[in-house]
Amino acid sequence: MPPASSRPVDNLDDDDYPAYTMGRAAEMLGTTPAFLRALGEHLLITPLRSEGGHRRYSRYQLRIAARARELVDQGTPIEAACRIVILEDQLEEARRINEQLRAQGRESQSHNSA
């Protein structure tokens, strides 16, 4: 019996697992494959490739693509939408790191005062 970590079901829980074909991803987002290709051209998302060379998208990538689509639907040019989403993602990561560092600082202070 294979180890539990290699079960196919585990991949369904992985936000980074490239589970969706381009056609399925476009359908889920209510857009076209050309839109997804454009997001790749503007370096917003880089789909993984199947052994046959087909683009495959993860849930994380679909969330990013959905945010870009919202901006484009509001009239933002695709280049600007991609840049906005990249900056939003970087800001969120910086906030997460900042919070971790603050938590470590609080933990360090509590150990020093004990």
Side-chain angles (χ1 to χ4, degrees), residues 1 7 9 11 14-15 23 25 28 30 34 39 45-46 50 55 68 71 73 82 84 87 95 98 101 108-109 114:
M1 191 155 162
R7 291 185 0 231
V9 172
N11 291 333
D14 183 354
D15 264 2
M28 291 170 68
L39 296 181
I45 56 176
T46 303
S50 68
R55 291 175 177 88
L71 292 168
D73 287 351
C82 289
I84 289 167
L87 290 170
R95 285 179 174 158
N98 192 20
L101 292 173
S108 177
Q109 283 180 341

Side-chain angles (χ1 to χ4, degrees), residues 21-33 36 62:
T21 63
M22 177 180 274
R24 180 68 179 127
E27 179 183 315
M28 291 170 68
L29 295 171
T31 189
T32 64
L36 291 172
L62 294 184

Side-chain angles (χ1 to χ4, degrees), residues 18 55 57 59-61 73 76 98 103 112:
R55 291 175 177 88
Y57 297 89
R59 285 189 300 200
Y60 174 74
Q61 289 173 323
D73 287 351
T76 306
N98 192 20
N112 290 339

Side-chain angles (χ1 to χ4, degrees), residues 3-113:
S5 63
S6 68
R7 291 185 0 231
V9 172
D10 290 340
N11 291 333
L12 298 176
D13 295 329
D14 183 354
D15 264 2
D16 295 318
Y17 182 72
Y20 304 98
T21 63
M22 177 180 274
R24 180 68 179 127
E27 179 183 315
M28 291 170 68
L29 295 171
T31 189
T32 64
F35 179 78
L36 291 172
R37 282 192 294 276
L39 296 181
E41 290 167 12
H42 294 290
L43 307 177
L44 180 61
I45 56 176
T46 303
L48 292 168
R49 298 283 181 150
S50 68
E51 289 181 18
H54 299 284
R55 291 175 177 88
R56 306 284 296 190
Y57 297 89
S58 68
R59 285 189 300 200
Y60 174 74
Q61 289 173 323
L62 294 184
R63 282 196 301 274
I64 289 174
R67 175 65 181 130
R69 179 167 182 235
E70 287 174 15
L71 292 168
V72 170
D73 287 351
Q74 293 169 5
T76 306
I78 193 164
E79 302 87 12
C82 289
R83 186 68 184 139
I84 289 167
V85 174
I86 288 167
L87 290 170
E88 287 175 342
D89 200 45
Q90 289 173 343
L91 178 59
E92 183 57 36
E93 178 68 7
R95 285 179 174 158
R96 186 188 62 74
I97 291 169
N98 192 20
E99 183 53 40
Q100 285 178 338
L101 292 173
R102 284 183 178 167
Q104 289 172 357
R106 287 190 297 268
E107 186 177 296
S108 177
Q109 283 180 341
S110 70
H111 286 305
N112 290 339
S113 63

